[in-house]
Amino acid sequence: MPDLGKLTATGGVIQVEGAGGGGLTPWALITGYGTRDSYGANAHYTYLSTQDYTLKSYGVAVGILDRVELSLNKQELYGSLAPLADLKISQDIVGIKLKLAGDAVYDQDRWLPQVAAGVMFKHNNGIGGLGAVTNVKQLGAASDAGIDYYLAATKLLLQESLLLNGTLRLTKANQMGLLGFGGDQRDRYQAMGEFSAAYLINRKLALGVEYRMKPRNLAADHEKDYYDAFLAWFPSKNLSMTLAYVALGDITVYNPKRQRGVYLSLQAGF
């Protein structure tokens, strides 16, 4: 049986691609509240709305023995402004994360952070609402499928009520893969840094910021780095809610307005 033995909030929340972490970036923490003798799991739904786009993300994730994390996630992007008012793009993401070293909670007397490596297998399901344009390759992407590799380090300073995370991601993904992988500008893996900091106001509230670097592979998409400021609420170990202000930059040259908006994520599990 699941033991719910981890401290509240130490499973993180589910980020927009389905992995345990913050809103935008995966952390080294393993999702759920199962200890090294147990397991945990959750289901999540995320709604992100900017001036001209809506992103929905939902799925499930399982943490096993506080060492392995498996996740399955679906993303759906919708447009709301001409010429992309009828736009719909979706992709599926399968994630695997393995804790390599350290323990964010128990290593308070050591400098070593918790370290984990992860892989995200992504498949873009095509484009709807753009007439003859039905595949991301028609926008200049080199492929409609790709793999992200990442290494995350998370340090939890309980006495200071502070969590710090740094993630290094190798990726070809354009807008997380929603616009495909690689492109007419470049088609090679690039190392992107992702950073998070969160202050634990109390055992149930965390206030934080995130910054995520992005590649620029497509002539049709002058991709910009992402950042957010979030408030996460953990009323119990079975439920959490994250509310954030998020900035995604402009998405495609067909709508070159900088996209800013609200991110809301709900998670239920054990």
Side-chain angles (χ1 to χ4, degrees):
M1 297 294 292
D3 58 18
L4 294 173
K6 291 162 63 176
L7 296 176
T8 301
T10 56
V13 295
I14 293 295
Q15 56 100 217
V16 73
E17 293 154 300
L24 296 178
T25 185
W27 297 349
L29 303 178
I30 301 298
T31 194
Y33 286 100
T35 66
R36 64 189 67 182
D37 300 313
S38 183
Y39 65 94
N42 59 65
H44 71 276
Y45 177 82
T46 297
Y47 181 87
L48 193 163
S49 179
T50 69
Q51 305 100 305
D52 307 316
Y53 299 96
T54 297
L55 176 66
K56 299 177 182 179
S57 173
Y58 49 91
V60 294
V62 178
I64 304 169
L65 305 179
D66 197 30
R67 179 162 295 276
V68 178
E69 177 183 291
L70 306 175
S71 60
L72 181 63
N73 189 70
K74 190 175 189 69
Q75 292 182 330
E76 297 177 351
L77 178 71
Y78 300 89
S80 61
L81 183 71
L84 305 178
D86 298 320
L87 175 69
K88 179 183 177 180
I89 302 175
S90 70
Q91 76 167 339
D92 300 316
I93 304 172
V94 176
I96 302 172
K97 184 196 298 182
L98 175 66
K99 183 165 75 172
L100 301 178
D103 189 288
V105 175
Y106 294 109
D107 286 342
Q108 295 299 303
D109 58 345
R110 305 172 64 193
W111 63 268
L112 180 69
Q114 182 166 319
V115 179
V119 181
M120 294 180 179
F121 302 91
K122 302 181 177 182
H123 182 266
N124 188 291
N125 297 315
I127 301 174
L130 291 187
V133 179
T134 60
N135 190 284
V136 289
K137 294 180 182 180
Q138 294 172 266
L139 299 177
S143 176
D144 60 4
I147 303 174
D148 284 4
Y149 306 89
Y150 65 87
L151 184 69
T154 305
K155 186 63 178 176
L156 179 60
L157 305 170
L158 288 175
Q159 187 171 354
E160 290 78 14
S161 301
L162 187 65
L163 180 145
L164 302 173
N165 182 83
T167 299
L168 183 67
R169 183 191 300 249
L170 294 178
T171 184
K172 292 184 180 181
N174 310 315
Q175 301 293 355
M176 298 185 290
L178 290 165
L179 296 182
F181 305 84
D184 45 15
Q185 299 284 84
R186 58 186 60 83
D187 182 24
R188 65 177 184 273
Y189 276 101
Q190 298 177 72
M192 298 286 115
E194 304 175 10
F195 309 96
S196 306
Y199 178 71
L200 306 175
I201 300 172
N202 55 44
R203 294 183 179 182
K204 296 183 181 295
L205 281 175
L207 182 66
V209 293
E210 295 181 288
Y211 185 85
R212 176 171 171 173
M213 298 170 62
K214 303 304 300 303
R216 294 164 180 83
N217 300 320
L218 292 177
D221 177 28
H222 299 160
E223 195 167 6
K224 301 293 191 303
D225 296 347
Y226 295 167
Y227 60 89
D228 73 9
F230 66 86
L231 179 66
W233 179 41
F234 303 87
S236 73
K237 291 184 178 180
N238 302 113
L239 184 67
S240 70
M241 178 185 300
T242 305
L243 179 66
Y245 166 83
V246 63
L248 305 179
D250 50 316
I251 301 176
T252 83
V253 295
Y254 307 109
N255 185 7
K257 186 189 303 180
R258 293 192 174 184
Q259 300 297 317
R260 300 181 176 90
V262 176
Y263 170 109
L264 177 65
S265 183
L266 302 175
Q267 177 178 310
F270 52 85

